[in-house]
């Protein structure tokens, strides 16, 4: 039984480490999402981000394609990391419940 408990504890440590890494990766990405608005036939870009309960739009003007791609890539990575973070949080909860549970006593 100690072997299984040791494996679960090791997996919990790995999951906690992965959670920290995912949170760090999300923080490293630029905040907000780029929004394109067409005004009188011209394209203008705004950075939309949340500050508390409010959503703020920061004017960015006309942007080069490289910067637009950077924000699109950041949006894709943020979605990926949030999904992974959600999965690892569920795994951590499961492992903690499994470790907290009563040990099975063999009847011999």
């Amino acid at each position: 039984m100690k072997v299984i408990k040791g494996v679960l504890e090791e997996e919990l440590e790995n999951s906690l480490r992965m959670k920290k890494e995912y949170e760090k990766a999300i923080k490293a990405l630029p905040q907000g999402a780029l929004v394109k608005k067409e005004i009188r036939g011209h394209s203008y870009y705004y950075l939309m981000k949340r500050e508390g309960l409010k959503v703020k739009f920061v004017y960015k003007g006309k942007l080069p394609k490289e910067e637009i791609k950077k924000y699109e890539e950041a949006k894709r990575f943020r979605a990926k990391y949030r999904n992974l973070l959600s999965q690892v949080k569920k795994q951590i909860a499961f492992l903690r419940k499994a470790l907290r549970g009563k040990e099975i006593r063999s009847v011999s």
Side-chain angles (χ1 to χ4, degrees):
M1 212 47 173
K2 289 186 178 186
V3 174
I4 294 173
K5 190 172 182 180
V7 170
L8 289 175
E9 287 173 346
E10 185 178 329
E11 187 61 31
L12 179 62
E13 288 175 16
N14 289 338
S15 296
L16 290 170
R17 182 183 45 79
M18 288 170 42
K19 179 184 172 203
K20 281 184 182 179
E21 289 177 10
Y22 293 149
E23 289 172 343
K24 185 178 175 182
I26 289 173
K27 278 190 173 183
L29 295 171
Q31 287 187 337
L34 206 57
V35 177
K36 178 181 176 182
K37 293 189 179 185
E38 292 279 336
I39 301 173
R40 295 186 189 148
H42 298 282
S43 299
Y44 298 98
Y45 291 92
Y46 293 82
L47 184 63
M48 179 179 66
K49 58 183 176 178
R50 184 170 296 279
E51 292 179 4
L53 297 175
K54 295 184 178 184
V55 176
K56 300 278 186 169
F57 288 88
V58 179
Y59 177 71
K60 289 291 193 175
K62 297 181 180 182
L63 295 176
K65 291 183 181 182
E66 298 84 29
E67 194 163 347
I68 295 169
K69 285 184 182 181
K70 180 182 89 169
Y71 279 105
E72 289 173 355
E73 189 175 297
K75 183 179 177 182
R76 201 169 47 251
F77 279 128
R78 188 177 300 111
K80 175 185 167 187
Y81 286 129
R82 282 185 179 162
N83 186 18
L84 291 170
L85 186 61
S86 173
Q87 290 174 2
V88 82
K89 282 182 178 180
K90 289 176 187 175
Q91 185 174 350
I92 289 169
F94 174 78
L95 290 169
R96 284 188 173 153
K97 286 178 187 176
L99 286 169
R100 211 176 323 130
K102 294 182 180 179
E103 292 183 15
I104 300 172
R105 295 186 182 111
S106 61
V107 179
S108 301

